[in-house]
Amino acid sequence: MSHIIPIALILFAIYSWYRTRQKAAPNGTGGSIRNRDLPKAAAELGFLPGEQLDTDRAYPPDPRITAVREAVRAGNWQAAAEFLAEAGRDWQERDRRSSVLATEAVKDDSWLLAWRKERPEDADVALVLAESLIYLAWEVRGSSTARHTTQEQFAGFHRILDQAREAVAAAQALAGDDPCPFIVEIPLAKGLGYPHERFEEIWAEIVKRDPHHLAAHTSALQYWCKKWRGSYELAESFARSAAEKGTPGQLLSVLPLEAYFEYEIAHDDLEQDEFYKRPEIVAAVDAALVDVAAAAAANPDDWRIPPVRHLLASLLYWQDRYEAAVEQFRLVDGYIDTVPWAYRGSREGKIKAYVEQRDFSAAQVVKARRGI
């Protein structure tokens, strides 16, 4: 989803937890699988033990990002300027890099202020400043649902968002054909409650600049969800329309999967084993498998791919497609800070949710291969 998707910066202030249920081991040939056999099966297939999983990243660390973080923490704004400029007109990479810098500025913005002082009309610094204010606002608000957020948090949240709105407008005035200053307005639209007509205006500015920007679509899907400014029907309609306009390799087919996931976690009485086996969801998973394979063939190091694989692995698990699930788990094992595991909040919660599904899938594959 996240870009440093991460994903905590794209899925702003949604749920801090995610329900996972231990799937009952099926009876039939070979009988049920005992819980103590699950880690053995995972180890047999080469998976890492839970304690070795990285819960802070969705994919292996990028040396360039590590280097620029160290540089700005030392006050080197020139390194930040060079890092962002290197993205050129690759808008998805520019979006990712501005997010990295904005996240650092929330912690300490002295280098950003120095950059702005030296280059007050620089579109790059304007973008990072606007994005950092939005991130700061969401940090003040916290990640809890509205009923668990204090009035003081809300007051600080809206005060900073008002400042961010001015910074976003300034960045957009310098944008030219760069979609990024408009993309960063999406969380502003959620937080300030933009009406649909206003949001459509922002969206039009984005798609005319980059019609297939994955992070923009993922963020926009959140706006259309019921928990923000839309409904389940609007979210699914947006997701399906976007996926239909994409071609294999652009990864837009993940959007319906995200919409189904959002629907599922919002309904406590919904049975995942039944819901995710619906024909339309099976078909959506199949389309996403084709999409991610094309993206990987074009660029196996594409940082957008791992979050898609994680969601695919989970849905394949719920669909009892264990061989396919294990293949996705194999390709991402080690770094798990992304949907659906990130919804569990704590390190322990992420690991537990991930390992339950991965290890159960592994055990089923081991059983099948042994013919038992």
Side-chain angles (χ1 to χ4, degrees):
M1 70 272 276
S2 188
H3 230 259
I4 290 212
I5 305 199
I7 273 97
L9 298 179
I10 295 178
L11 303 178
F12 289 104
I14 46 183
Y15 298 96
S16 60
W17 54 272
Y18 168 50
R19 298 174 297 109
T20 56
R21 302 169 205 152
Q22 178 66 44
K23 182 180 286 200
N27 293 314
T29 58
S32 63
I33 299 173
R34 296 169 297 183
N35 286 341
R36 66 175 179 270
D37 294 333
L38 301 183
K40 294 179 183 178
E44 183 174 331
L45 296 184
F47 289 119
L48 291 172
E51 61 271 16
Q52 293 184 24
L53 297 172
D54 188 323
T55 57
D56 296 323
R57 300 180 181 90
Y59 48 84
D62 184 330
R64 298 167 299 175
I65 291 175
T66 301
V68 78
R69 282 176 171 157
E70 293 174 352
V72 298
R73 289 170 187 175
N76 185 352
W77 65 264
Q78 294 91 340
E82 182 178 350
F83 175 72
L84 188 54
E86 285 175 352
R89 295 176 58 81
D90 182 341
W91 303 130
Q92 306 216 42
E93 180 64 15
R94 178 174 172 81
D95 184 46
R96 178 174 80 133
R97 294 188 179 207
S98 68
S99 176
V100 169
L101 297 175
T103 302
E104 287 299 316
V106 171
K107 303 170 187 174
D108 177 4
D109 66 354
S110 57
W111 58 271
L112 179 59
L113 298 178
W115 182 7
R116 189 186 185 198
K117 182 178 180 181
E118 288 294 321
R119 302 179 183 176
E121 298 302 317
D122 187 342
D124 289 358
V125 73
L127 170 62
V128 176
L129 175 63
E131 195 165 7
S132 69
L133 285 170
I134 293 171
Y135 289 178
L136 177 61
W138 286 99
E139 185 169 287
V140 168
R141 183 201 183 279
S143 60
S144 298
T145 55
R147 64 176 179 166
H148 294 118
T149 303
T150 68
Q151 290 302 312
E152 291 76 11
Q153 286 174 302
F154 274 125
F157 174 62
H158 288 289
R159 183 175 63 254
I160 299 171
L161 282 185
D162 285 338
Q163 298 173 26
R165 180 157 47 184
E166 295 179 9
V168 165
Q172 290 173 352
L174 299 169
D177 58 357
D178 176 14
C180 296
F182 298 91
I183 294 171
V184 301
E185 192 173 2
I186 295 176
L188 196 63
K190 292 189 293 183
L192 295 179
Y194 283 15
H196 293 175
E197 295 77 10
R198 172 62 182 137
F199 185 84
E200 292 285 10
E201 292 173 0
I202 301 168
W203 189 244
E205 294 293 340
I206 294 169
V207 296
K208 78 179 181 182
R209 290 169 168 83
D210 188 346
H212 305 116
H213 196 292
L214 180 60
H217 280 83
T218 298
S219 187
L221 177 61
Q222 289 295 310
Y223 172 88
W224 290 114
C225 284
K226 183 178 181 179
K227 65 191 176 189
W228 286 111
R229 307 300 167 185
S231 65
Y232 300 123
E233 293 77 16
L234 287 171
E236 186 173 335
S237 175
F238 173 82
R240 286 182 175 277
S241 176
E244 289 169 0
K245 294 174 183 175
T247 58
Q250 292 175 332
L251 298 176
L252 293 179
S253 63
V254 74
L255 292 165
L257 306 188
E258 292 175 348
Y260 294 133
F261 175 75
E262 289 290 343
Y263 181 89
E264 183 266 308
I265 63 173
H267 292 79
D268 291 343
D269 59 343
L270 188 150
E271 289 296 330
Q272 292 141 303
D273 255 335
E274 297 176 5
F275 176 71
Y276 285 126
K277 289 185 177 74
R278 293 181 180 181
E280 66 271 23
I281 301 182
V282 173
V285 167
D286 288 341
L289 286 169
V290 172
D291 201 355
V292 78
N299 178 11
D301 297 322
D302 187 339
W303 48 268
R304 302 174 306 154
I305 293 175
V308 181
R309 291 199 187 280
H310 276 281
L311 187 54
L312 275 171
S314 181
L315 269 60
L316 288 163
Y317 158 84
W318 286 115
Q319 293 173 357
D320 302 339
R321 301 163 70 180
Y322 300 116
E323 283 278 3
V326 162
E327 177 63 12
Q328 298 304 316
F329 280 122
R330 183 183 65 79
L331 292 166
V332 295
D333 197 46
Y335 301 88
I336 65 170
D337 186 29
T338 187
V339 174
W341 333 113
Y343 278 62
R344 290 300 289 249
S346 69
R347 169 179 168 77
E348 294 75 16
K350 293 176 188 178
I351 292 173
K352 182 176 184 292
Y354 176 80
V355 166
E356 281 180 353
Q357 296 191 19
R358 183 200 67 182
D359 291 8
F360 187 89
S361 299
Q364 291 295 327
V365 168
V366 168
K367 273 184 59 180
R369 291 178 182 179
R370 291 176 178 169
I372 58 175

